[in-house]
Amino acid sequence: MPTKIEKDAVTGTDTTGHEWDGVKELNTPLPSWWIYTFWATIVFAIVYCVLYPAWPSLDGHTRGVLGYWSRAELAQELDTQVRARGRYVERIRATPLADIGKDPELLNFAIAGGRSAFQTNCVQCHGAGGAGSKGYPNLADDEWLWGGKLDQLHATIAYGVRNAHEKSRQSAMPRFGADGILTAAQVGAVTDYVLSLSGHGTAAPEGAKLFQDNCAACHQADGKGNQDLGAPNLADGLWLYGGDRNSIYRSVFYARNGSMPAWADRLDEATLKMLAIYVHSLGGGR
Amino acid sequence: MDTRLNDEDAVSVRVRKEAQPLYATRIKVYPRAVAGRWRTIKWSVLVLLLALYYLVPWLRWDRGPGAPDQAILIDLEGRRGWFFDVTIWPQEVYFVTGLLILGAVGLFLATSLFGRIWCGFACPQTVWTDLFMLVERLIEGDRNARVRLDRAPMSGGKIARKGLKHAAWLAIAAATGGAWVFYYVDAPSTVVKIFRGEASLEIYFFIGLLTATTYMLAGWAREQVCTYMCPWPRFQAAMLDEQSLLVTYEKWRGETRGKHKAGASWEGRGDCVDCTLCVAVCPMGIDIRDGQQLECIGCGLCVDACNQTMDKVGRPRGLIRWDTLARQQDRERRAAVGAWRALRPRTLLYGALLLIVTGAMLTAFLLRTDTELTVQRDRSPNFVRLSNGDIRNSYTVKVLNKTREERSLVLSLDGLAQASLAQVGDGAFTVHPDSVGTFRILVTVPATAAPSGSRSIEFIVRDRQGRERAAHGAVFIGPAR
C-alpha cells in the first residue's frame, strides 16, 4: 500500500509512496510510445482471436472468421507434395516391376521413395540400412529366406510372413525338443551335425541320420534350405538367430518361426513396388 | 565566491539543462543545376551505367537446345549461373566470393588514387539520385523554384506538380525493380507475364521491394544514405593519404572571402567572392570551403561551379580543384609543385593484391573440370558378409557432368585388390548433359582380400578414351581381425 505520495522537487514527478530504508522511487509515467505499443498488442490479440483459431473449447476450438487452420494448410502442402510426386508414382504404378530398373531416372526415384518408406515402416526391425539384427533378417546380404528376386521380395513385403493375411507366406518348423519329437540328446546330435555343414566341427553319424529323417524335408539333404518354404540355408556362414551351438540348439528345440506383417493392408501399390526395388538395391537382390 | 557546487546544485543544473535532441534535424538539400566538365562526365557515366543495367538482361546467347539463351542469367531454381559461355554450378559459388574480393580491392585502389570517385560517379545511390533529381528539376524547376514551391501554400498546381513528380519517380523505381528480376529469370518471356499478371508471387514481391527501396533511397533519403547509412565514408579515410586526388579548396588563395564589386581591386583579399554557388550545387548540401569532410562524395560539381564564377570575375580557375593534399601544401608554401605520385607503397600493395586475386581466380577458372565425382558410403551396415564369405561395401556415387553433351563414362576403383564393382539397376553409366547422375555401386572382395578395419580407396571416372576425368577418395571397411 502506498503510504505517502509526495512530489519530487527536482523533477516535479510524484513518488510511488513506498520507502525502503530511506530510498524512494519516482513514479515516472511510462513513455507514451510504450503505452501505445502495449495497447496495440492488445488490439492485435483481439483481432487475432477473431480472425484465427484461438480458444479451446470442450469439443475443439474456435474457428476464426478467416477459416484458416494450420492443419488444413499442412494437408494442402502434403497434397501438393503428393501431386508433385504423382508423375513418377503413376509411372511406377504403370511400369512392370522388372522394367523399372531400365530407366535410371525412375530407378533413382523408386530407390529414394523406397528408402523413405523403409525409414518409416521397416527400420524398427531391419535397421536403418537393412542390416537387421538377431532374429530380423539382414536385407543387405545375399541370403534370403523367401527369395531375393524382385517379385519374391514384393510378395514378401506385400503379404508378410506367418500372419493372418490369406496370401501370407506360411510354414512352421516343429518344436522338436519342446514337443518331445526328439530327446535332448538327439537335438544335441542334430545341432552338431548342422554346425558341421558350414565346416564347424565334426558330427556323429547319428546326427546325420536324424537330420535326414527330420530336417531334410524342408532344409534339403545338403542343408542348403528351400526358399519356397522359408527354410534357411544351414550350410553357409550366415545365421539369423546366432551361429553358436547354444543358439542352434535352441532353434531346433523350440523352433523360431518369426513373423512379419502384411504391408499390402497399409501401403499403396506404388510404395510396395518402391520398397521392393529399394530392398533389392541394398545389394543382395538376385 | 565559492565555485564548488554542492550535490543538490549539480543535480538541478543537469535537470534544468535543455533536453538535447539525439539527432540533428534534417535540412533539406536543394541542389542547383550546374554545367561543366565534371557534370558532363557524371552524365556520361550515368547513361553508360543505366544502359548496362537495363539492357544486359536482354542480351541473347545461343547455347543450343535445353539451355537458356540469356547471356547473363542467375537461375536460382535451376541452380546454375549462366555467364556467356561459362556455367557456374552452386559448388563454385567461390567465384562470386572472388568477384566480391576483386570489387573490394578495386575500390581500395581507386579510392587511394582518386578519392571517392566511386561515390561521386559510379555508386547506384549516386546514379539513381542524380536521375531522380533530373526528373525533379524538369517538373518543379531549378533550386530556387523548388524552394519556393515547397514554401508555397498547398494549391491545385502544387499538388499537380508534386503528384506528377512522385508518379515519375515511382515509374522509374518500378522499372528499376523490374529490370532487377530479369537477371534471375528469362527477360522476354517474363516481361509479358509481368504485364499480364501471370508472373510468380516472388517476382512481384521483389519488383515491389526494389521499387520501394529505389523510390525511398533516391527520392527521399538521398544524401542521408551516404552520411548516415553507408559504411564506406566511415572507413574510406583509411584508404586516403596526402597523395590521393581529392576535391580541395585553396584556402590560402580564397581567403579572406567576401563580395567583390566589378572593377574593384583584388589586393588584400582572397579570390573567393562568396557567391555560395559551390554550396548550392552540392548534392550533399555541404560547404567544401570547410575543408575535407566525411559527407563529401567527391563528385566535383563544386569544381564546375567555382570555375564558372572565377571566369566571371576574371580570376584563375581552380580555386576549388581536384588535387592532392601534398600539392596543395606546395602551392600554399609557393614551393615547386610536385608531380602526382600514383605509384606509392599503398597503391602498389593494392595493385599487387588485385593481381594476386585475379591470378588466383583465373587459375581456378582455367583448372575447372567438366566432370566431378562425389562418393558417399552406406554406413549401416558398415559392411555386409555374403553367404560365400565375401565382404561387400555399398556406395552412392554422384557424377557431375558440366558439359552440354550426354557422357558415357567408366568407373573403376584403386587401392583394393580383387575388388569387383557392380551397379544397381540395368542402366548404363551415363550422365545427362549439365546434370548429376546418381548411381548405387556395390564393391565386393573375397574374404581373404578384405581389409581388417578400414582401407583408403579411390574411385576414378574415365571417359571412353580411357582418360581420367575425376577421382574421389573413400574407404572400404572389412571385419576387424
Side-chain angles (χ1 to χ4, degrees):
Chain A
M1 278 296 293
T3 48
K4 188 158 157 263
I5 296 179
E6 358 173 359
K7 200 180 256 305
D8 173 55
V10 176
T11 57
T13 310
D14 287 348
T15 62
T16 56
H18 299 286
E19 188 176 320
W20 293 274
D21 298 342
V23 177
K24 296 173 189 169
E25 203 179 14
L26 287 182
N27 192 7
T28 310
L30 286 158
S32 46
W33 66 262
W34 194 99
I35 296 282
Y36 293 142
T37 310
F38 176 68
W39 282 110
T41 58
I42 291 174
V43 172
F44 177 89
I46 292 166
V47 171
Y48 185 96
C49 289
V50 172
L51 294 181
Y52 290 98
W55 292 95
S57 57
L58 288 175
D59 58 344
H61 56 83
T62 57
R63 291 277 167 202
V65 297
L66 287 186
Y68 171 87
W69 192 25
S70 56
R71 283 169 191 253
E73 193 184 33
L74 174 68
Q76 202 182 353
E77 279 172 16
L78 287 175
D79 189 51
T80 311
Q81 276 290 337
V82 168
R83 264 182 293 135
R85 287 196 293 255
R87 193 162 59 91
Y88 287 105
V89 172
E90 199 40 56
R91 269 168 70 194
I92 283 174
R93 215 191 305 283
T95 312
L97 197 55
D99 295 345
I100 291 175
K102 292 188 177 129
D103 177 347
E105 196 190 14
L106 205 54
L107 176 72
N108 278 332
F109 180 86
I111 289 177
R115 177 182 297 120
S116 140
F118 192 89
Q119 301 302 349
T120 310
N121 300 294
C122 316
V123 295
Q124 296 82 341
C125 298
H126 290 285
S133 61
K134 195 167 176 175
Y136 301 100
N138 181 339
L139 307 175
D141 66 18
D142 61 344
E143 178 168 11
W144 300 96
L145 292 170
W146 299 94
K149 294 195 177 69
L150 261 179
D151 53 341
Q152 293 170 315
L153 290 174
H154 187 267
T156 307
I157 294 168
Y159 309 124
V161 178
R162 299 187 191 94
N163 61 45
H165 195 281
E166 56 183 13
K167 292 189 183 172
S168 156
R169 310 255 190 213
Q170 292 293 359
S171 70
M173 173 165 154
R175 294 147 45 92
F176 285 98
D179 292 344
I181 303 169
L182 300 174
T183 65
Q186 287 173 316
V187 172
V190 167
T191 302
D192 286 335
Y193 178 76
V194 168
L195 273 168
S196 75
L197 286 175
S198 51
H200 294 88
T202 53
E206 185 209 1
K209 180 162 183 339
L210 281 166
F211 185 88
Q212 295 307 333
D213 293 346
N214 295 286
C215 318
C218 298
H219 290 280
Q220 311 287 16
D222 55 5
K224 287 272 164 66
N226 179 350
Q227 293 187 341
D228 294 338
L229 301 171
N233 181 343
L234 307 175
D236 62 14
L238 302 179
W239 296 96
L240 182 52
Y241 292 94
D244 57 299
R245 189 177 185 284
N246 196 22
S247 300
I248 297 174
Y249 182 93
R250 287 179 64 87
S251 293
V252 179
F253 199 93
Y254 294 106
R256 300 284 187 176
N257 297 328
S259 84
M260 166 165 139
W263 294 97
D265 300 342
R266 318 187 197 189
L267 303 173
D268 62 87
E269 188 193 344
T271 307
L272 291 173
K273 273 183 164 176
M274 292 194 283
L275 271 172
I277 285 168
Y278 171 70
V279 171
H280 194 264
S281 80
L282 286 174
R286 298 281 173 180
Chain B
M1 180 190 151
D2 184 13
T3 53
R4 281 178 310 154
L5 294 168
N6 60 29
D7 285 355
E8 222 168 289
D9 286 337
V11 168
S12 54
V13 165
R14 192 162 50 81
V15 171
R16 283 198 209 103
K17 221 166 68 176
E18 276 298 315
Q20 280 270 328
L22 291 175
Y23 53 84
T25 315
R26 181 181 179 187
I27 299 162
K28 193 169 173 188
V29 182
Y30 296 91
R32 177 183 166 143
V34 64
R37 184 175 166 197
W38 302 105
R39 182 66 265 183
T40 311
I41 293 175
K42 259 172 85 75
W43 284 135
S44 321
V45 172
L46 178 140
V47 168
L48 174 75
L49 292 176
L50 287 179
L52 273 177
Y53 175 73
Y54 285 111
L55 297 179
V56 158
W58 299 90
L59 282 177
R60 299 289 107 187
W61 192 261
D62 186 21
R63 297 190 179 89
D69 64 348
Q70 188 159 316
I72 294 178
L73 176 68
I74 300 157
D75 181 2
L76 293 173
E77 215 152 298
R79 300 200 181 92
R80 297 282 181 278
W82 304 93
F83 191 83
F84 294 96
D85 259 340
V86 180
T87 311
I88 300 286
W89 284 50
Q91 47 272 74
E92 292 168 325
V93 77
Y94 49 79
F95 283 118
V96 179
T97 316
L99 284 178
L100 291 174
I101 294 172
L102 280 184
V105 178
L107 205 52
F108 298 167
L109 180 61
T111 303
S112 62
L113 287 172
F114 310 110
R116 287 174 63 180
I117 187 170
W118 164 263
C119 301
F121 294 83
C123 175
Q125 174 64 24
T126 291
V127 169
W128 263 278
T129 301
D130 236 5
L131 180 64
F132 273 47
M133 283 182 186
L134 176 68
V135 170
E136 189 171 55
R137 197 174 305 133
L138 291 174
I139 295 171
E140 295 184 358
D142 203 357
R143 175 183 159 88
N144 296 343
R146 293 207 301 276
V147 175
R148 266 202 313 278
L149 182 71
D150 277 9
R151 286 188 188 152
M154 203 44 86
S155 67
K158 180 169 175 176
I159 291 171
R161 270 176 196 277
K162 289 274 176 198
L164 181 61
K165 176 181 82 171
H166 287 286
W169 279 359
L170 280 168
I172 297 172
T176 307
W180 181 259
V181 302
F182 294 152
Y183 284 87
Y184 298 87
V185 289
D186 183 61
S189 58
T190 308
V191 76
V192 175
K193 279 191 200 152
I194 288 171
F195 283 110
R196 281 198 188 150
E198 294 166 357
S200 68
L201 198 61
E202 286 92 347
I203 285 180
Y204 288 119
F205 171 78
F206 278 105
I207 292 177
L209 183 75
L210 288 150
T211 303
T213 50
T214 308
Y215 172 74
M216 291 283 306
L217 297 180
W220 292 92
R222 292 191 179 173
E223 80 286 346
Q224 303 282 306
V225 175
C226 312
T227 309
Y228 295 109
M229 301 184 198
C230 180
W232 184 233
R234 313 268 153 192
F235 56 75
Q236 47 110 22
M239 324 286 159
L240 299 171
D241 54 28
E242 63 282 358
Q243 292 294 344
S244 308
L245 281 172
L246 309 165
V247 179
T248 55
Y249 167 65
E250 297 188 330
K251 207 174 179 138
W252 54 271
R253 168 154 89 96
E255 305 300 325
T256 321
R257 66 182 83 153
K259 294 283 177 241
H260 178 261
K261 279 203 174 66
S265 159
W266 289 92
E267 279 304 312
R269 52 156 300 150
D271 281 355
C272 175
V273 297
D274 208 12
C275 66
T276 64
L277 207 52
C278 55
V279 181
V281 301
C282 178
M284 301 298 295
I286 56 169
D287 190 340
I288 188 66
R289 293 171 301 176
D290 298 342
Q292 295 301 316
Q293 49 209 295
L294 172 131
E295 292 89 343
C296 174
I297 57 169
C299 66
L301 292 182
C302 50
V303 178
D304 286 339
C306 190
N307 283 344
Q308 268 180 31
T309 300
M310 289 298 107
D311 290 352
K312 252 185 223 148
V313 300
R315 299 301 291 172
R317 286 179 153 225
L319 180 60
I320 301 175
R321 63 169 353 136
W322 286 89
D323 211 344
T324 68
L325 295 179
R327 283 163 51 113
Q328 280 287 15
Q329 278 171 356
D330 292 345
R331 284 202 176 83
E332 190 170 355
R333 294 198 308 267
R334 302 282 193 279
V337 177
W340 175 50
R341 284 177 48 222
L343 297 179
R344 49 192 199 271
R346 174 190 298 277
T347 54
L348 289 174
L349 176 73
Y350 290 146
L353 272 176
L354 210 53
L355 282 178
I356 290 167
V357 177
T358 312
M361 293 256 306
L362 262 179
T363 312
F365 187 74
L366 294 173
L367 293 179
R368 277 173 94 212
T369 54
D370 56 12
T371 318
E372 270 186 50
L373 183 65
T374 59
V375 179
Q376 200 182 14
R377 211 178 67 85
D378 284 11
R379 290 196 188 80
S380 160
N382 249 332
F383 61 87
V384 174
R385 191 192 298 275
L386 301 181
S387 50
N388 61 359
D390 288 0
I391 302 299
R392 168 182 288 168
N393 282 204
S394 41
Y395 303 84
T396 301
V397 171
K398 292 192 177 191
V399 182
L400 280 60
N401 173 17
K402 299 183 184 176
T403 64
R404 297 247 173 74
E405 57 257 6
E406 183 97 5
R407 302 274 293 285
S408 174
L409 300 159
V410 181
L411 183 73
S412 60
L413 186 66
D414 244 18
L416 195 62
Q418 299 182 51
S420 59
L421 274 66
Q423 182 185 332
V424 171
D426 310 327
F429 200 73
T430 56
V431 193
H432 292 313
D434 192 51
S435 57
V436 182
T438 306
F439 308 94
R440 250 185 89 69
I441 303 293
L442 310 173
V443 179
T444 314
V445 294
T448 49
S452 169
S454 98
R455 162 93 50 92
S456 290
I457 55 172
E458 191 175 41
F459 283 93
I460 297 164
V461 164
R462 291 186 169 81
D463 57 18
R464 286 280 168 217
Q465 289 75 41
R467 281 192 305 262
E468 183 176 323
R469 307 303 305 198
H472 196 286
V475 294
F476 185 98
I477 293 190
R481 282 195 289 268

